């Protein structure tokens, strides 16, 4: 859709003499990309990514300070403050429960071992591919604001979603390997 304002959504099925037997499902427009159904699905994917990434980070570092210290000072205060407050209230959920997706991504970006484990050459490579994820998450959370208005934004959304899906697969792969 990055070059067209609308596309036919089709499902390729069994091969025929002339190629594929296609079943049309409908027409998808740029306006459809701003509907709740897409936002809901994107939110679900980002939520699963955040949970999986938190589990990987939590399992990787026996001592939480090892990952907390790579965050900026304001984020350290936020995470440590939440953790201490939760303990004082009788519920120690650990510091990972105080993080946001952006903070978790920063832990990966600022830890060479992590971004290399996930297959990124450098911090810049990781940030180039996934740096727009926190902005996408914020845009998804405001349902009355459009996700995309221009064809360039359609292309950008596609690239970010592809990067998220690829990273999610890597997170789940590492999570599975460490669990097994």
């Amino acid at each position: 859709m990055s070059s067209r304002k609308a596309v036919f959504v089709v499902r390729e099925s069994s091969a025929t003499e002339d190629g594929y037997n296609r079943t049309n499902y409908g027409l998808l427009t740029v306006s459809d990309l701003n509907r709740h159904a897409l936002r809901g699905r994107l939110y679900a994917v980002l939520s699963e990514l955040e949970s999986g990434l938190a589990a990987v980070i939590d399992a990787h570092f026996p001592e939480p300070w090892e990952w907390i210290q790579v965050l900026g000072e304001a984020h350290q205060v936020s995470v440590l403050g939440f953790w201490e407050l939760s303990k004082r209230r009788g519920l120690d959920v650990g510091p990972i429960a105080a993080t946001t997706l952006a903070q978790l991504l920063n832990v990966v970006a600022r830890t060479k071992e992590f971004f290399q484990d996930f297959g990124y050459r450098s911090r810049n490579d990781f940030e180039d591919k996934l740096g727009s994820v926190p902005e996408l998450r914020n845009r998804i959370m405001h349902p009355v604001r459009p996700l995309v208005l221009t064809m360039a934004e359609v292309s950008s959304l596609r690239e970010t979603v592809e990067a998220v899906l690829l990273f999610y697969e890597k997170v789940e792969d590492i999570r599975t390997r460490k669990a097994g």
Side-chain angles (χ1 to χ4, degrees):
M1 283 194 66
S2 56
S3 63
R4 296 183 179 101
K5 292 185 180 199
V7 294
F8 278 107
V9 178
V10 297
R11 176 177 172 211
E12 294 180 3
S13 55
S14 61
T16 62
E17 291 178 14
D18 63 345
Y20 285 98
N21 178 22
R22 292 186 170 96
T23 305
N24 290 334
Y25 285 105
L27 185 66
L28 180 69
T29 68
V30 173
S31 295
D32 293 324
L33 297 178
N34 292 307
R35 299 203 189 282
H36 183 72
L38 177 64
R39 284 176 191 274
R41 185 63 193 125
L42 289 175
Y43 178 80
V45 168
L46 291 176
S47 177
E48 288 294 318
L49 173 64
E50 185 172 341
S51 297
L53 189 53
V56 167
I57 290 170
D58 201 33
H60 180 80
F61 293 102
E63 170 54 45
W65 179 247
E66 293 178 40
W67 65 263
I68 294 170
Q69 69 182 342
V70 304
L71 298 173
E73 189 173 307
H75 294 289
Q76 290 176 20
V77 169
S78 172
V79 169
L80 292 171
F82 174 87
W83 187 21
E84 184 60 31
L85 185 59
S86 69
K87 287 191 292 187
R88 287 176 184 257
R89 290 180 175 165
L91 182 63
D92 186 356
V93 292
I96 204 79
T99 58
T100 63
L101 179 57
Q103 290 167 332
L104 296 170
L105 291 170
N106 272 326
V107 170
V108 175
R110 295 176 180 180
T111 308
K112 185 176 183 178
E113 176 185 345
F114 263 145
F115 64 70
Q116 288 179 338
D117 278 353
F118 287 114
Y120 299 95
R121 295 182 312 274
S122 65
R123 177 179 174 174
N124 286 340
D125 182 34
F126 180 81
E127 289 176 344
D128 286 346
K129 301 228 175 20
L130 293 159
S132 60
V133 171
E135 178 191 345
L136 174 62
R137 171 101 181 255
N138 290 341
R139 288 178 23 220
I140 289 169
M141 297 307 294
H142 297 283
V144 296
R145 294 183 187 166
L147 282 175
V148 293
L149 291 173
T150 66
M151 297 310 287
E153 289 174 335
V154 171
S155 182
S156 177
L157 176 64
R158 187 196 82 242
E159 289 171 11
T160 301
V161 170
E162 286 175 352
V164 164
L165 293 173
L166 179 61
F167 185 57
Y168 175 73
E169 288 176 14
K170 293 175 181 183
V171 167
E172 287 303 304
D173 181 54
I174 288 174
R175 188 177 179 184
T176 303
R177 280 189 282 137
K178 290 192 185 243

